[in-house]
Amino acid sequence: MKSYKVVEFGKPLQKVEEANPAPQGTEVLVRITAAGVCHSDVHLWEGYFDMGGGNKYEKAMAPPRTMGHEIVGEVAALGPDAKGAKVGDKAVVYPWIGCGKCWYCQAGSEHLCPTPRALGINKDGGFADHVLVPHAKYLYPYGNLPVELACLYACSGITAFGAVKKAVGHDAGKPILVIGAGGVGLMGVRFAKSVLGHEPIVADIDENKRKLVLENGACAALDPRDKESRKQIMDLTGGTGVGAAIDFVGAEASAQFGVRALGRGGRLVVVGLFGGTFSMPLPMFGLTGCQIMGSVTGSPAEMKEMMDLVTGGKVTPVPVIKRKLDEADATLQDLRKGLIMGCAVLVP
Ligand SMILES: [Zn+2]
Ligand SMILES: [Zn+2]
């Protein structure tokens, strides 16, 4: 098999050729037909997350590692105890795999497991032509979706879906605010419409991304640096502010903007991993009843719920940029520089 690995943080991915692994026990070997390149791969490749104030979180991934957690493919081989799949089955791989033993895993929240076995982070992932999956229960059928779209639901999709679900019951029947129109943000725009019933307002500092998102399901696109932007949000929500805002950037400025856009009792859901810290006056909680919460991907049950929605044709696809697997490193760099308009996907 061929893979592109992080051997040293911040250095070009290294091409590695080796024999296909033989699946053991319940494992399934999947031949990859497409794999998304996610913005979190940029942070994993850099080797740290910016915790603000010069602090870094550096323990997310240990090289050498094949990144890539948005994987779709065909079952190529089965371990002796594998059940629930056969050779040739086509599936999206749920990558947020836990230890299987802890309280979170037992409760169905494998994505919150403190000792994860996530593909492309803790185990080798999708920047390759094959991947080992610990059990066939992590394979989800994708119906008639094209492979380059199907793979995106494993992270961009489930992350956006998990965040949008946290706005259910908090949107007050009005458009929510989506901050950031990168790959996950674009997915968030589509899920906001299909789950909440309203096209959202989108804020992004990049003019090209604002144009793109207006063509892809936003009711309005504004520049958060524009002095009038908060007033625009008030005008678009009948003067009250949004009931929910989802921050797909996760920077100080984006979170501040999100809080300022909220109406009374509003909820800010922070998803993005750009980095930094932010502060707000504590009386704001007691005076406005606002909420701030995080969201991280989604559970296997949410993956099933989302795949049923998307395979049922209920969600409009996002724009996809196709690249060759051999361009894995260049694609990662383009994403880092903000040059990818839509979601980047590697194909063999
Ligand atoms: Zn991701
Ligand atoms: Zn666990």
Side-chain angles (χ1 to χ4, degrees):
M1 65 176 281
K2 175 169 75 176
S3 61
Y4 284 87
K5 288 186 194 294
V6 178
V7 175
E8 202 180 327
F9 290 130
K11 294 282 160 60
L13 303 179
Q14 301 270 310
K15 182 178 179 178
V16 175
E17 307 232 30
E18 58 201 323
N20 282 355
Q24 311 290 314
T26 62
E27 286 176 343
V28 178
L29 181 68
V30 171
R31 184 179 66 78
I32 297 172
T33 48
V37 185
C38 173
H39 212 281
S40 58
D41 290 320
V42 172
H43 300 292
L44 291 165
W45 169 82
E46 287 173 333
Y48 65 89
F49 291 87
D50 175 6
M51 307 306 272
N55 298 313
K56 292 176 175 179
Y57 175 67
E58 297 175 315
K59 294 198 173 131
M61 185 177 84
R65 176 69 65 228
T66 308
M67 299 194 301
H69 49 263
E70 297 183 321
I71 306 167
V72 65
E74 280 182 29
V75 174
L78 299 161
D81 306 320
K83 282 191 191 75
K86 57 185 189 312
V87 170
D89 280 358
K90 296 176 178 182
V92 180
V93 181
Y94 176 83
W96 311 111
I97 299 169
C99 70
K101 301 182 189 95
C102 73
W103 180 86
Y104 297 95
C105 288
Q106 296 287 317
S109 297
E110 290 203 37
H111 63 306
L112 300 178
C113 176
T115 50
R117 297 181 292 163
L119 302 181
I121 301 172
N122 314 105
K123 300 279 175 188
D124 282 340
F127 297 173
D129 52 18
H130 287 79
V131 65
L132 267 182
V133 181
H135 196 287
K137 69 181 176 186
Y138 300 113
L139 305 180
Y140 291 76
Y142 55 89
N144 299 322
L145 300 177
V147 289
E148 59 273 17
L149 178 65
C151 66
L152 297 171
Y153 290 112
C155 179
S156 300
I158 189 71
T159 299
F161 182 66
V164 165
K165 281 190 70 180
K166 292 178 175 67
V168 173
H170 293 267
D171 59 328
K174 291 179 292 193
I176 65 163
L177 173 65
V178 165
I179 306 168
V184 188
L186 286 167
M187 281 278 190
V189 169
R190 290 311 192 183
F191 281 118
K193 174 74 166 87
S194 59
V195 173
L196 304 169
H198 290 277
E199 292 188 339
I201 304 161
V202 179
D204 198 294
I205 56 173
D206 184 329
E207 189 185 351
N208 293 322
K209 287 182 179 162
R210 289 200 299 275
K211 262 188 211 150
L212 182 73
V213 80
L214 276 176
E215 294 158 8
N216 284 277
C219 73
L222 41 89
D223 183 348
R225 295 169 305 186
D226 184 341
K227 283 199 177 64
E228 293 293 300
S229 58
R230 186 165 178 275
K231 183 178 176 301
Q232 285 174 273
I233 290 172
M234 291 300 153
D235 291 346
L236 288 160
T237 54
T240 59
V242 293
I246 305 177
D247 181 3
F248 287 110
V249 180
E252 178 179 353
S254 60
Q256 293 284 9
F257 185 73
V259 165
R260 280 166 42 79
L262 294 179
R264 294 177 68 79
R267 173 179 278 193
L268 173 69
V269 183
V270 181
V271 182
L273 293 164
F274 183 89
T277 58
F278 98 113
S279 65
M280 67 181 277
L282 285 166
M284 291 308 287
F285 288 101
L287 290 169
T288 71
C290 70
Q291 305 175 10
I292 302 177
M293 70 185 303
S295 187
V296 49
T297 68
S299 68
E302 285 173 317
M303 180 80 178
K304 162 101 177 57
E305 190 186 343
M306 177 195 65
M307 289 310 293
D308 287 347
L309 203 63
V310 296
T311 55
K314 299 285 195 310
V315 185
T316 311
V318 296
V320 173
I321 315 294
K322 264 203 276 188
R323 296 280 183 85
K324 285 290 193 192
L325 171 59
D326 290 330
E327 298 172 283
D329 190 66
T331 306
L332 190 68
Q333 294 311 317
D334 285 350
L335 193 62
R336 183 172 70 84
K337 293 175 196 153
L339 300 177
I340 303 280
M341 296 289 141
C343 294
V345 173
L346 303 174
V347 293

